[in-house]
Amino acid sequence: MRMYRLDFRLTASLVAALVLTVAVACGGDDPTPTTGPGDPTSTPDNGGSEPTATATPEQSDDLPAPGSPVGTVAISVARVAAHPGINSANGGEGSVWWGAGESLFTTSEGPVFGEPWLAQEWEIAEDLSKVTIQLQEGVQFHGDWGEMTAEDVAWSINDANAAINLDSIHAQAGDLAAVFGEWVAVDEYTVDAPFTTFDPRWQTTALSDGFQPTGIFSKRVFDEQGRDWMLENTIMTGPFSVQEWTDGGRAVLNAVDDHWRQTPQIDTIIYDQIPDAAIRLARMRTGETDAAAIELKDIPGLLEEGFLLSGTGSGSELNIAFSGNLWETHHAVTGEELARPGLNPERPWIGDPADEESMERARKVRWALAMGYDREELNEVLIAGQGWPHSIGYFNPEMPEYQDKWDVPYDPDAALEMLAEAGYEDGFEVEIFGQTDTLIRLETAEAVAGFWSRDLDLDVSVNAFEYRVFRPSIVDRSAEIPFMNSCDDGRYPRPWDWPVGLIISSLSRGGFSCALEAPTIAENFLASASEPDLQERIRITNETADYLHHQMLLPGTFTIPVILPYNPNAIAEWDMRPSLGGPISSPEMIVPAR
């Protein structure tokens, strides 16, 4: 198997975010490996022209004939998530990746993240107080709901932002709150977006399909139909419109004729929920599905059979978040005193910043736990060696700036010595959250628990239930047990000079977090976010790596390449846009084989 790893490197593009005017003619909670067949540098035409015709390859007699009708592509996924047609109810993110919606920014080719999509150009105020965004004109909402305007954009972003809408449970509610104040429509196609904390990644994170998009919905629909109607009906601007979307069932999307950006070459795309990975694999081999989310350990066999791969070029880290270590007493920007319900020093891995001895004891425990499992073995056994081990979250060894000093060895003997130094020579009880609706997170939690139990003689239990049950505890910061997550910035190939650690600081209060908050992380993030010099941002990033390595708040396990196998008898080509997310993106780029 050949793994393409696109080398995205952001250098001058972040500096460019600090200049007064950026104008580009444009016709853009954890997923995530290689680009698909064809030229990995090829890019979609974001200017609205028709896609270039591609020669249809010979059908393979060794692979199944597609079971879906001509013009239809069927994809099997582990879960069809709830899909409300309004941001504040956690709508919009999946709809952008799956083709129904669009965000303000995209990425057509690395290394420049944050190219215009629904946005057209922007101007940042000299004092970094706001950005003024000019929007594309003539973009139509589905179902004859009219043209997208600045009012729709401002309303959509404010509806998602937890600082503006306290009821928002959008996946980026906290990310938006950390960066933006209330957006305002200046005229029909212009919005002002004030910064509460300037972040040079402002257009590449919560506003771009290249990372974690916030979709744009129609304010007119909200005004005329109301929130309850929007919960059941999705009206957006993407190249596919929603015919059906059933939580836990299937989503059926139809191509939009004469789409402003790119009209799909297929008529219909169907996403079917098949929770059992073995059944998804069987459906691939019988032709019942044309593409499917497949366990990585099954990928080599599919490639030998002739199936092909697509992907966004990304990898997602599985990190162990030692939640409950809430060391910030006041919000890093507002100064507001913070509630810290998860700060429970009776948990051996949680330190009380008011007690120096407690902090050092907990640090040694975290280090012992980080040395108490074999990352190489986890990668080989759980995902057939398709990924690669990493030692600490956010700092991936595949990035050229990585330094070996941040490695964490598998050393049970040293771990036991450190536990004894911390006063736990007889061990202790430890719980770890196992996410039942994401198999690899559950399996990794169980495997790590097995190492801790066997090698460190700890009494380990896995709390296994769905993420939606656990999520409220990380939003309100009451979580106090370790859990598996990328913690947002745990993505490859995240540019090294990007500010890092928003989700493990008070800056993300009001939304998703990893229930970790450290003053040093917040201070470094804010310093990097306001720093125009590339080398100084890299220095700050390295300082953050040193800090996380010393404190071991977020030890890593392995990085999972995000790839999607497909049947070339159904799909001739699927060159997804580069992204730090995945594994399904850019369905309008599908070139049918029939």
Side-chain angles (χ1 to χ4, degrees), residues 29-30 316-321 390 393-394 433 435 441 467 470 474 483-488 490-491 503 512-514 554-555:
D29 286 23
D30 292 304
S316 178
E317 296 175 359
L318 268 188
N319 302 314
I320 302 176
H390 68 274
Y394 299 166
F433 169 53
Q435 184 175 330
R441 291 188 183 181
Y467 173 71
F470 184 71
I474 57 178
F483 68 99
M484 300 288 169
N485 204 283
S486 72
C487 296
D488 265 18
R491 308 295 175 91
I503 295 302
F512 168 79
S513 80
C514 272
L554 199 64

Side-chain angles (χ1 to χ4, degrees), residues 464-485:
F465 42 87
E466 288 190 4
Y467 173 71
R468 63 183 177 84
V469 179
F470 184 71
R471 188 179 190 273
S473 71
I474 57 178
V475 173
D476 68 15
R477 277 54 170 179
S478 62
E480 54 185 56
I481 65 173
F483 68 99
M484 300 288 169
N485 204 283

Side-chain angles (χ1 to χ4, degrees), residues 69-92:
V70 172
T72 296
V73 166
I75 301 177
S76 293
V77 296
R79 183 183 176 203
V80 173
H83 187 73
I86 186 169
N87 274 328
S88 56
N90 203 18

Side-chain angles (χ1 to χ4, degrees), residues 116-138:
W117 217 18
L118 289 177
Q120 185 170 216
E121 60 185 32
W122 64 90
E123 181 178 331
I124 296 175
E126 289 189 52
D127 61 359
L128 305 183
S129 61
K130 70 174 183 177
V131 58
T132 299
I133 303 171
Q134 297 294 324
L135 303 171
Q136 299 286 351
E137 299 182 20

